[in-house]
Amino acid sequence: MIWKILAAPIIGAIIGYCTNWLAVKMLFRPSEAKYIGRFHVPFTPGVIPKGKSRLARAIGNVVNTQLLTEETLKERLLAEEAVGMVKNITDDTINHLKNDSSKTVKLLASGDLNESEFNAVIKNIQEFIIEKAYVKLKNADLGLLISKTITSKMEEALGDSFLGKMMGDSMINMVGGAVTQSVDAYIEQNGEHIIRQIVITETENLLSMPAERIISGIESTGYDITGAVSGVYVRLVQEKADTFINIINAGEIAEKTIENMTNSQLEELVMATMKTELTAIVNLGALIGLVLGLINMAIYLI
């Protein structure tokens, strides 16, 4: 008699457990749509494989709108520990370079570039500087400036002397004009070549210079390299955080990653994050079945 009474809650608990266990499994299985002849078997594929694209879009949207926003990125990157890390890295790098005289500016600047790539970069920089300097030189009116200086000195030297009166203003102005034309012509013909030689020579001297010499020279002026680097970092984060987020587009990365997952990988991901919750749902089914069985048992006894 007692077994008949207890059978209802026990069977209810078993049925509830199995029902919820089956429901959880149907979230992932079957992984593909099933057919009997031309007829599609209902509830295939499982809920999650069937809605993988929709799930991917939803997660991508959450990442973009709630998880990785401009505000959260700035808050994290501008936190005291993040800025402190930048300062520590800068200090460590400076100390390392100051203790290693073998590191030249060229070695540091080249980074992962090979010799030909680095030379191409340097050449482009040199050509840019030469072009800008040559344009500035031509627009500086050095011929006119030099001629004015010369004619002014001539007028001061000659004054009211006999020679000065003989030459007169017209002669002095003619000399000034000739000087202007000569200087301008010289700059036109030789200016770019002179600038090129200077830029190339100074570039080679700079690249061959030990990095520790550059750093020591900067520090001797009282310039705070670490403070400057951290300041640039802070301004970069403040001004370019939105650009950085748009470039990364973490939501799109998350969406494509999920879409490219196999169904088994997706199941592993969901189970890794929600195993406890899904297990609780299964156990809740057993509990509900037990409670319903107890209710039936109480009604039977009454």
Side-chain angles (χ1 to χ4, degrees):
M1 181 65 179
I2 187 65
W3 292 110
K4 291 182 180 181
I5 296 174
L6 294 177
I10 293 174
I11 294 173
I14 293 174
I15 292 175
Y17 180 89
C18 293
T19 300
N20 279 17
W21 178 85
L22 181 61
V24 169
K25 289 299 181 182
M26 288 180 66
L27 291 174
F28 307 100
R29 293 184 176 82
S31 58
E32 304 292 341
K34 302 297 183 181
Y35 292 88
I36 300 177
R38 295 181 302 168
F39 298 100
H40 173 239
V41 178
F43 307 111
T44 65
V47 175
I48 290 180
K50 184 177 181 179
K52 185 167 68 172
S53 296
R54 181 167 49 84
L55 175 64
R57 287 193 300 271
I59 292 177
N61 183 60
V62 170
V63 171
N64 277 339
T65 60
Q66 299 183 37
L67 298 182
L68 189 60
T69 63
E70 182 179 348
E71 291 72 21
T72 56
L73 182 65
K74 285 183 178 179
E75 182 181 355
R76 186 68 187 92
L77 294 181
L78 295 178
E80 184 177 350
E81 59 269 22
V83 178
M85 182 180 66
V86 173
K87 291 181 178 180
N88 291 336
I89 293 174
T90 304
D91 285 336
D92 291 343
T93 303
I94 290 174
N95 292 331
H96 176 71
L97 293 176
K98 288 168 68 175
N99 295 323
D100 188 356
S101 58
S102 65
K103 292 290 182 67
T104 62
V105 174
K106 179 178 181 179
L107 187 61
L108 292 177
S110 60
D112 295 330
L113 298 177
N114 58 44
E115 186 74 15
S116 61
E117 291 173 335
F118 180 72
N119 289 337
V121 172
I122 294 299
K123 183 175 177 58
N124 289 335
I125 295 174
Q126 289 174 336
E127 292 299 328
F128 176 80
I129 296 173
I130 292 168
E131 179 183 353
K132 293 297 182 182
Y134 181 54
V135 171
K136 290 287 185 182
L137 182 62
K138 290 179 64 176
N139 294 336
D141 291 329
L142 287 183
L144 181 61
L145 179 62
I146 293 173
S147 69
K148 285 183 177 180
T149 303
I150 291 175
T151 54
S152 176
K153 293 299 182 181
M154 288 177 63
E155 290 174 350
E156 290 177 7
L158 295 175
D160 295 331
S161 65
F162 176 74
L163 181 59
K165 291 179 180 180
M166 285 189 63
M167 292 184 65
D169 291 341
S170 60
M171 181 64 71
I172 293 175
N173 291 335
M174 186 172 65
V175 172
V179 170
T180 300
Q181 291 178 1
S182 298
V183 172
D184 288 344
Y186 183 83
I187 291 175
E188 183 73 29
Q189 295 174 7
N190 304 290
E192 184 176 355
H193 174 72
I194 294 173
I195 292 173
R196 182 178 300 277
Q197 292 300 112
I198 294 173
V199 170
I200 292 176
T201 301
E202 292 303 317
T203 302
E204 291 175 352
N205 291 338
L206 177 63
L207 291 176
S208 62
M209 190 178 297
E212 55 90 13
R213 182 177 171 186
I214 299 290
I215 293 173
S216 298
I218 294 174
E219 289 183 336
S220 66
T221 65
Y223 186 77
D224 183 7
I225 300 177
T226 300
V229 171
S230 62
V232 170
Y233 167 78
V234 170
R235 287 195 300 274
L236 183 65
V237 172
Q238 290 174 337
E239 297 173 3
K240 301 297 182 181
D242 56 336
T243 303
F244 183 68
I245 288 177
N246 291 333
I247 292 174
I248 293 178
N249 200 349
E252 183 179 351
I253 294 174
E255 180 178 344
K256 289 183 177 179
T257 300
I258 292 174
E259 286 184 344
N260 292 332
M261 283 183 171
T262 64
N263 291 330
S264 60
Q265 289 174 328
L266 185 60
E267 180 178 356
E268 290 177 6
L269 174 64
V270 174
M271 291 303 295
T273 55
M274 298 188 64
K275 183 176 181 180
T276 301
E277 290 76 9
L278 293 176
T279 301
I281 291 175
V282 173
N283 292 335
L284 181 61
L287 178 62
I288 292 174
L290 178 64
V291 171
L292 292 177
L294 290 173
I295 293 173
N296 286 332
M297 181 184 70
I299 293 173
Y300 176 79
L301 292 176
I302 291 172

